[in-house]
Amino acid sequence: MTSNRFAMAVHIMTLLDVNEGERMTSELIAGSVNTNPVVIRRIIGMLSKARLVTTNAGVAGAVIARPTDQITLLDIYNAVSSPTQDELFAIHEKPNPNCGVGRNIQSSLEKAFDEAKKAMENKLSEITLAQIAGDVAGKINIE
């Protein structure tokens, strides 16, 4: 899984949208996310590689690359996920092959976990960054 990178990436993208027009530095973003600016720069690099944000060499900050109603949570999830990382749900590696359950549990779990991951991805594809940013902005306005 992407640990907390996915949540941080959505936080970063939402912050950029809510503060549209401002060049947000990694230090400012890190203050909101409550993490190190190096972590923010790494995630922004992933978002930039996925063409979700634009950065310019020598210029601090990032901007969202396309309208937020055209960016889904699945886009962000895919941007910060790595094929070399563990799957969403890890399966223990060495169950007892002499046990009927141990010998067969992995294939059954893999099928169930694949279905769960597809359901999650389908749901994430239905939610846009504009919806998240709008929800957050609405909460800021009532504080």
Side-chain angles (χ1 to χ4, degrees):
M1 173 68 182
T2 58
S3 65
N4 58 358
R5 270 201 315 251
F6 173 52
M8 284 189 197
V10 175
H11 186 142
I12 291 165
M13 296 288 289
T14 302
L15 192 62
L16 292 174
D17 185 53
V18 169
N19 293 284
E20 185 181 10
E22 293 180 40
R23 286 297 271 195
M24 305 262 334
T25 65
S26 56
E27 288 76 16
L28 286 171
I29 296 169
S32 177
V33 177
N34 202 23
T35 192
N36 190 300
V38 172
V39 173
I40 299 303
R41 286 191 285 276
R42 203 171 293 136
I43 294 171
I44 287 176
M46 293 173 171
L47 295 170
S48 178
K49 186 175 179 182
R51 296 189 170 126
L52 298 177
V53 299
T54 303
T55 59
N56 297 320
V59 180
V63 293
I64 296 176
R66 60 182 193 251
T68 58
D69 63 350
Q70 295 175 16
I71 298 173
T72 68
L73 292 187
L74 183 60
D75 295 328
I76 299 169
Y77 175 80
N78 287 333
V80 298
S81 296
S82 168
T84 60
Q85 291 177 316
D86 292 337
E87 289 296 315
L88 186 60
F89 304 106
I91 298 174
H92 62 291
E93 294 180 18
K94 296 180 183 176
N96 184 347
N98 296 322
C99 170
V101 173
R103 191 171 42 252
N104 295 292
I105 191 70
Q106 288 178 319
S107 63
S108 294
L109 283 176
E110 285 172 0
K111 181 180 179 215
F113 290 174
D114 283 345
E115 289 174 12
K117 183 178 180 191
K118 285 178 186 155
M120 179 199 73
E121 289 174 346
N122 287 338
K123 188 62 181 175
L124 291 178
S125 73
E126 296 172 2
I127 304 168
T128 66
L129 179 59
Q131 291 170 290
I132 298 296
D135 187 56
V136 170
K139 292 173 181 173
I140 292 170
N141 292 332
I142 60 172
E143 287 181 345

